[in-house]
Amino acid sequence: MRRAGKYLIIFFFAMQNVMAQQNHADFDPVEYVNPLVGSASKHSLSTGNTYPAISLPWGMNFWTPQTGKMGDGWAYTYDADKIVGFKQTHQPSPWMNDYGQFAVMPITGKAVFKEDERASWFSHKSEIAKPYYYSVYEADHDITTEIAPTERAAYFRVRYPAGKEASLVIDALDSGSYIKVMPGARKIIGYSTRNKGGVPAGFKNYFVIVADQPIRSFKIWKDNRLEDGLTEVTARHAGAVITFGAVDTKYVHLRIASSFISIEQAELNLSRELGNADFDQIKQKAKDAWNKELSKIKVEGGTTEQLRTFYSCLYRCLLFPQKHYEIEQNGKIVHYSPYNGKVLPGYMYAGTGFWDTFRALYPFLNLVYPAINREMQQALINDYKEGGWLPEWSSPGYRNIMIGNNSASVVADAWLKGVRGYDIETLYQALVKGANHAGPMPAVGRYGVDYYNSLGYVPYDAGINQNAARTLEYAYDDFCIYQLAKALNKPAAEVDLYRKRAMNYRNVFDTQTGLMRGRNKDGSFQAPFNPFKWGDAFTEGNSWHYTWSVFQDISGLINLMGGKKEFVTKLDSVFTIPPVYDQSYYRSVIHEIREMQIMNMGQYAHGNQPIQHMIYLYNYAGQPWKTQKWVREVENRFYLATPDGYCGDEDNGQTSAWYVFSAMGFYPVCPGAGQYVLGAPLFKKISIRLDNGKTIRINANNNSPRHIYVQSLKLNGAVYQHNWLSHDLLMKGANLEFNMSARPNFYRGINPKDFPYSLSNDISINHLKK
């Protein structure tokens, strides 16, 4: 009987396994994603500043319907009435704009080329937007256009009306472009050079378009007119109008691919990725690719709208940076270098700003998608070798925007969290170079590095803008280098140097106001001082936002403020002070200011990155229930699965990663420290499948709109009191059992031994005080 019982138990668990696998196979998270979230944006007010990216995860090319002027950063806006084309895009944000873009537009009737002539009214009621599929009805042409993507190509299926002249506009844009029509092969080739910087001389995005219908006639666009008799042209603005005639088939199929390397490589990309597959097969493959990645996190027990919001945010986390590499005929990985213009072996990624994404996006990849970040780290090595520096904003090469040396965080956090398979020594040397030298532009290396290294801060009166913000970010970046140097067993003097510099944040703390403040070369603080002044000493924020940018040493910041009571009072004040502002530095109200003002949460400006971690800092002062309250408030109010669903710029996955982490119940306040600070789960049940085969299971019993507080927590069956979780522990697989309540637990997580990591509390820091 005992043996039979044993076999019954084995059979029971085996059946549970089978049922779980079947359940997983039926899971279809991509259908919760709305790619239009955040697209109801404009220059003066951002609700995401996104566009529907029809793509594969991290694909080299995205496709999007274009409602704005070609070359305008606002490619697609939800409130627009007309579509002017379908654009291949690499745009990371409207502020950075695009590079190498070109567009196609199916039309009927007279052969026209200009945007306002080829444009068509459309309605969202006849639009379908999925990550893997897009369809829209062009009312003025009586055409339905469908798109299914691959990484470097796309399949278009166009339904033209029977009996009407069916044509296709190809627009290579107006910054130097080339087009050639090959009617015998039913093919069009060309290139676009349009960009907004970050490319070397000779940059081109080559494309090839193959139709399944004969080309009956065509006209070439040369700068400002359509011409007959030409088959190819190189011009400032090249394009073509291809006419298929009155087609008698249901659809015209277009297979389109591109390459940064050559026409030949574009044709290889087309052959390899589209092959002989039909439209529906490509569409299904794209859907499968998205479900494979999205299903690594399964959330249950929320409303349908919460599920839509979660998976729409997760989708945004898996777009940037894009693969900027291609695969040769022999299967070797190669890339066009946006740093020196050469075609070289190895990985390349492009399209991210570390000032935004170091905070949560890259830590999220390290937890759930470390294999893709391994490629990204290898690509950073190529960035450094080919350009001499690590990029802080790549689009596709160096871009002179934002501050900090936050590549240090991206590199250190990956290695410290166990990502391996690349040359970390070269990356470490790149970090050391970037930390001790000014780069070829202010946004590369460290602007003001001589002042920072000699005075311990970047002075307010040295002609270097955003100086206090630079000081704070350099100090955190030095902490990351310190952590990596320790892990790599660098000489003690080298380790100590960066540890000491990591404490430089203290040099811009003003004890009189209890806030961070610009400081002059002679040691005096800037005067007059208005803590509500945006910009000036800070970056896209004010002192109330940047005072909390001491990720590495919140305990030290607490001490500077006079203790935990004073610290919590200051945190509380962020939400109670009115959303007043001083915009004089910018001479106008920038959209980030307006977004803070209208959200009605005091000085808390979640629409921009500097303050996004601040809610979690109550955990460092023994009041974790306030973190739990404010996290749920932000989740409920500032994130929706609607076109106006964000409260500011989404920014390459960062603002989405905040939501994804927070919905799971924890957040990486300090990348490089190896910890996640606790909040509270948004869903009743969450399962995270890790690359190493382990699973993190999170249950939140009694979770509801009222039950937002953590009454108790068990980790792997044992009572857990800490306000943080270890990355190493989670990577072994973990079971987290939250018991939620409508009332705060004022006794859990109040002991200093339960507070998250701070550099000042590191025993090895004590010798610095001698």
Side-chain angles (χ1 to χ4, degrees):
M1 285 296 295
R2 289 179 181 175
R3 184 173 296 177
K6 177 181 176 182
Y7 289 147
L8 281 172
I9 292 170
I10 293 171
F11 176 76
F12 172 74
F13 282 111
M15 288 305 296
Q16 271 195 327
N17 246 356
V18 170
M19 290 170 66
Q21 289 171 6
Q22 288 174 342
N23 186 43
H24 174 70
D26 295 337
F27 187 38
D28 201 14
V30 73
E31 295 305 327
Y32 287 112
V33 176
N34 179 7
L36 303 183
V37 173
S39 63
S41 298
K42 52 190 175 183
H43 187 280
S44 59
L45 186 70
S46 173
T47 64
N49 262 333
T50 63
Y51 55 86
I54 315 305
S55 68
L56 263 58
W58 305 288
M60 189 175 88
N61 305 320
F62 301 163
W63 284 88
T64 192
Q66 178 86 359
T67 63
K69 291 285 185 183
M70 288 296 166
D72 184 6
W74 279 262
Y76 175 101
T77 51
Y78 190 80
D79 295 332
D81 301 312
K82 293 183 178 181
I83 282 177
V84 301
F86 302 92
K87 186 175 82 163
Q88 187 197 86
T89 176
H90 314 92
Q91 178 171 297
S93 83
W95 309 106
M96 305 304 293
N97 213 298
D98 210 343
Y99 60 91
Q101 65 266 46
F102 66 94
V104 299
M105 179 67 176
I107 63 172
T108 54
K110 182 182 177 183
V112 294
F113 183 85
K114 294 180 180 178
E115 291 173 24
D116 57 348
E117 294 176 348
R118 74 196 194 212
S120 173
W121 281 77
F122 81 106
S123 168
H124 299 299
K125 297 177 181 65
S126 57
E127 177 187 41
I128 301 171
K130 304 284 185 182
Y132 62 89
Y133 172 73
Y134 182 84
S135 173
V136 71
Y137 176 64
E138 301 166 36
D140 291 319
H141 300 295
D142 190 22
I143 289 172
T144 298
T145 299
E146 300 173 274
I147 308 171
T150 69
E151 287 189 338
R152 298 166 188 85
Y155 205 133
F156 278 62
R157 183 165 66 183
V158 184
R159 184 191 60 76
Y160 287 96
K164 287 193 176 181
E165 196 81 342
S167 298
L168 179 73
V169 176
I170 301 110
D171 190 344
L173 273 68
D174 61 355
S175 294
S177 46
Y178 167 76
I179 201 92
K180 180 179 181 180
V181 181
M182 307 163 69
R186 301 179 181 179
K187 181 190 298 186
I188 304 96
I189 62 173
Y191 63 72
S192 169
T193 66
R194 177 135 191 155
N195 67 85
K196 286 292 183 177
V199 299
F203 164 80
K204 296 179 177 70
N205 184 31
Y206 301 91
F207 59 83
V208 56
I209 302 169
V210 179
D212 72 338
Q213 295 297 309
I215 296 174
R216 305 294 184 188
S217 64
F218 62 91
K219 294 184 179 182
I220 295 289
W221 178 260
K222 184 178 180 181
D223 291 338
N224 59 6
R225 64 188 183 278
L226 281 170
E227 295 192 1
D228 293 311
L230 296 177
T231 59
E232 65 181 315
V233 66
T234 303
R236 182 186 65 83
H237 190 176
V241 181
I242 307 299
T243 298
F244 303 110
V247 295
D248 56 3
T249 60
K250 187 175 181 181
Y251 296 109
V252 173
H253 298 89
L254 305 169
R255 296 155 66 237
I256 307 175
S258 68
S259 168
F260 296 114
I261 295 172
S262 66
I263 290 288
E264 293 75 19
Q265 182 65 44
E267 291 182 325
L268 178 59
N269 293 343
L270 185 147
S271 174
R272 178 181 282 122
E273 297 191 6
L274 295 178
N276 296 319
D278 63 25
F279 181 88
D280 290 325
Q281 288 171 325
I282 296 299
K283 176 183 172 183
Q284 186 62 49
K285 285 181 179 179
K287 180 176 182 177
D288 292 345
W290 275 109
N291 271 337
K292 177 185 175 184
E293 302 301 343
L294 294 172
S295 65
K296 289 187 176 181
I297 304 178
K298 186 174 184 179
V299 297
E300 303 173 75
T303 66
T304 299
E305 283 307 300
Q306 287 173 329
L307 289 168
R308 287 173 178 163
T309 301
F310 181 87
Y311 285 107
S312 294
C313 283
L314 183 53
Y315 152 76
R316 289 285 164 192
C317 292
L318 309 185
L319 291 174
F320 294 101
Q322 293 171 288
K323 295 176 179 178
H324 197 78
Y325 65 83
E326 303 175 54
I327 303 171
E328 282 186 327
Q329 183 72 50
N330 58 11
K332 290 184 179 179
I333 293 171
V334 295
H335 64 269
Y336 166 85
S337 173
Y339 302 100
N340 61 26
K342 299 177 181 179
V343 177
L344 297 166
Y347 292 104
M348 180 63 58
Y349 279 78
T352 190
F354 292 156
W355 184 84
D356 304 286
T357 54
F358 84 83
R359 304 165 194 269
L361 188 277
Y362 277 93
F364 178 67
L365 297 180
N366 289 330
L367 178 65
V368 187
Y369 302 94
I372 200 74
N373 200 17
R374 180 183 301 113
E375 289 186 7
M376 294 174 185
Q377 298 296 316
Q378 290 172 322
L380 285 174
I381 294 170
N382 291 329
D383 294 341
Y384 176 59
K385 288 180 176 178
E386 294 161 24
W389 303 84
L390 289 178
E392 303 299 333
W393 232 119
S394 67
S395 181
Y398 301 125
R399 298 294 292 273
N400 196 23
I401 187 170
M402 307 314 294
I403 68 161
N405 189 215
N406 298 308
S407 54
S409 176
V410 173
V411 169
D413 193 56
W415 185 263
L416 293 166
K417 286 178 177 170
V419 181
R420 295 292 186 270
Y422 53 92
D423 180 7
I424 189 60
E425 287 295 336
T426 294
L427 281 179
Y428 179 78
Q429 292 307 317
L431 296 188
V432 170
K433 179 181 178 180
N436 292 286
H437 297 86
M441 59 187 72
V444 175
R446 288 192 180 177
Y447 191 37
V449 65
D450 291 339
Y451 287 115
Y452 177 81
N453 287 351
S454 60
L455 297 176
Y457 59 94
V458 180
Y460 181 80
D461 58 349
I464 299 172
N465 61 0
Q466 305 165 81
N467 37 80
R470 293 181 194 276
T471 299
L472 292 169
E473 293 197 21
Y474 292 167
Y476 163 67
D477 298 331
D478 283 331
F479 164 78
C480 293
I481 298 173
Y482 153 67
Q483 290 283 79
L484 185 58
K486 272 199 310 181
L488 298 178
N489 296 313
K490 296 301 177 183
E494 194 168 334
V495 173
D496 287 349
L497 173 65
Y498 293 104
R499 178 166 49 188
K500 290 175 182 176
R501 287 182 181 174
M503 304 299 283
N504 281 343
Y505 71 88
R506 297 177 297 185
N507 297 328
V508 289
F509 182 82
D510 173 27
T511 55
Q512 181 182 350
T513 62
L515 296 167
M516 298 297 174
R517 183 173 177 179
R519 191 171 187 180
N520 296 316
K521 286 182 279 188
D522 65 3
S524 63
F525 283 98
Q526 72 173 100
F529 172 61
N530 181 354
F532 303 110
K533 186 176 183 179
W534 281 61
D536 196 19
F538 301 99
T539 303
E540 294 182 0
N542 61 34
S543 181
W544 276 102
H545 306 144
Y546 253 96
T547 289
W548 317 105
S549 293
V550 188
F551 316 96
Q552 73 277 18
D553 194 24
I554 299 301
S555 177
L557 180 62
I558 289 171
N559 292 335
L560 288 176
M561 287 186 175
K564 292 193 289 290
K565 181 179 179 181
E566 291 79 4
F567 179 77
V568 168
T569 299
K570 190 76 77 173
L571 285 172
D572 290 343
S573 297
V574 170
F575 301 110
T576 58
I577 295 174
V580 297
Y581 56 85
D582 175 355
Q583 81 282 14
S584 59
Y585 175 78
Y586 295 110
R587 301 181 183 176
S588 65
V589 178
I590 62 174
H591 75 91
E592 290 91 349
I593 295 176
R594 188 68 71 207
E595 288 144 17
M596 177 196 76
Q597 179 196 30
I598 66 177
M599 288 303 117
N600 192 28
M601 201 179 274
Q603 287 292 313
Y604 184 71
H606 191 82
N608 210 20
Q609 279 65 41
I611 205 169
Q612 287 181 351
H613 68 293
M614 166 256 166
I615 287 176
Y616 284 88
L617 301 189
Y618 288 105
N619 285 283
Y620 295 76
Q623 295 192 21
W625 54 89
K626 289 186 177 178
T627 290
Q628 295 154 24
K629 169 193 171 182
W630 287 115
V631 165
R632 186 66 66 95
E633 180 83 1
V634 171
E635 289 170 334
N636 288 342
R637 286 181 52 193
F638 294 171
Y639 289 85
L640 299 168
T642 58
D644 63 345
Y646 292 103
C647 60
D649 284 352
E650 195 284 324
D651 281 329
N652 303 132
Q654 166 56 31
T655 300
S656 293
W658 186 96
Y659 183 89
V660 171
F661 261 125
S662 295
M664 295 191 299
F666 49 89
Y667 185 80
V669 167
C670 183
Q675 293 181 350
Y676 304 97
V677 180
L678 282 169
L682 179 62
F683 298 92
K684 290 184 178 180
K685 185 180 291 186
I686 304 166
S687 176
I688 308 164
R689 289 191 296 110
L690 303 177
D691 273 9
N692 62 8
K694 306 294 184 179
T695 301
I696 302 169
R697 293 181 176 86
I698 303 167
N699 291 316
N701 303 312
N702 303 317
N703 206 352
S704 74
R706 288 184 60 249
H707 294 77
I708 65 173
Y709 297 104
V710 177
Q711 188 66 27
S712 63
L713 172 61
K714 287 185 177 180
L715 173 62
N716 296 332
V719 173
Y720 190 82
Q721 291 291 95
H722 297 329
N723 294 340
W724 53 274
L725 297 167
S726 160
H727 174 83
D728 290 343
L729 187 148
L730 290 180
M731 292 303 290
K732 296 175 182 176
N735 291 308
L736 295 162
E737 195 81 19
F738 290 85
N739 281 308
M740 307 298 291
S741 170
R743 295 175 179 270
N745 181 346
F746 296 117
Y747 301 99
R748 191 194 167 279
I750 63 174
N751 195 311
K753 69 181 178 62
D754 295 320
F755 299 171
Y757 173 90
S758 286
L759 183 57
S760 289
N761 296 335
D762 190 333
I763 295 174
S764 60
I765 200 72
N766 290 336
H767 77 279
L768 294 178
K769 301 175 183 177
K770 295 178 181 177

